[in-house]
Amino acid sequence: MELNARRLALDALERVAKGAYADVALHQVLQQRSLKEGDRALITELVYGTIRQQRTLDTLVQGFCQQLPPLKVQLVLRLGLYQLRYLDRVPPPCCRGHQR
């Protein structure tokens, strides 16, 4: 299964949520695979941007949720909201090989 940039960014954010330093987690994720420069840049922006805007993103999530969702759901929501709110030139997700 091919992992896209968003999935790798989520992996890095999960590591940070479990106590890793952001730069270390990002480096580990980027070293796992041979990535195009554009993918590396997108992953870096998603990870650092989501962390940088975490308080604002969490406030937005709280507006949609009556109770705090599980950690992985929180991370996915933060990541998606970051893209929608702060990025204007994000490529669509790759759906090759995925079935609905």
Side-chain angles (χ1 to χ4, degrees):
M1 176 175 104
E2 178 182 321
L3 294 178
N4 66 29
R6 290 167 180 88
R7 177 63 207 182
L8 293 172
L10 179 61
D11 289 347
L13 290 171
E14 284 181 291
R15 291 172 189 228
V16 172
K18 293 176 181 174
Y21 290 108
D23 60 332
V24 173
L26 181 61
H27 178 76
Q28 289 171 341
V29 166
L30 292 177
Q31 297 305 312
Q32 287 178 350
R33 295 189 168 46
S34 176
L35 298 166
K36 297 177 189 171
E37 192 58 39
D39 288 338
R40 295 174 70 82
L42 178 58
I43 293 165
T44 301
E45 175 61 31
L46 292 174
V47 170
Y48 285 140
T50 300
I51 292 169
R52 187 174 53 249
Q53 299 298 334
Q54 182 173 332
R55 294 180 94 191
T56 301
L57 298 170
D58 284 349
T59 300
L60 292 170
V61 168
Q62 289 171 358
F64 296 111
C65 302
Q66 292 181 354
Q67 59 183 340
L68 197 61
L71 178 61
K72 190 155 192 168
V73 175
Q74 289 178 51
L75 296 174
V76 169
L77 291 172
R78 285 177 192 157
L79 192 56
L81 285 170
Y82 177 75
Q83 292 173 77
L84 291 171
R85 186 172 174 103
Y86 297 103
L87 301 182
D88 59 358
R89 297 183 322 154
V90 178
C94 174
C95 296
R96 285 179 282 148
H98 299 346
Q99 297 179 351
R100 292 184 176 203

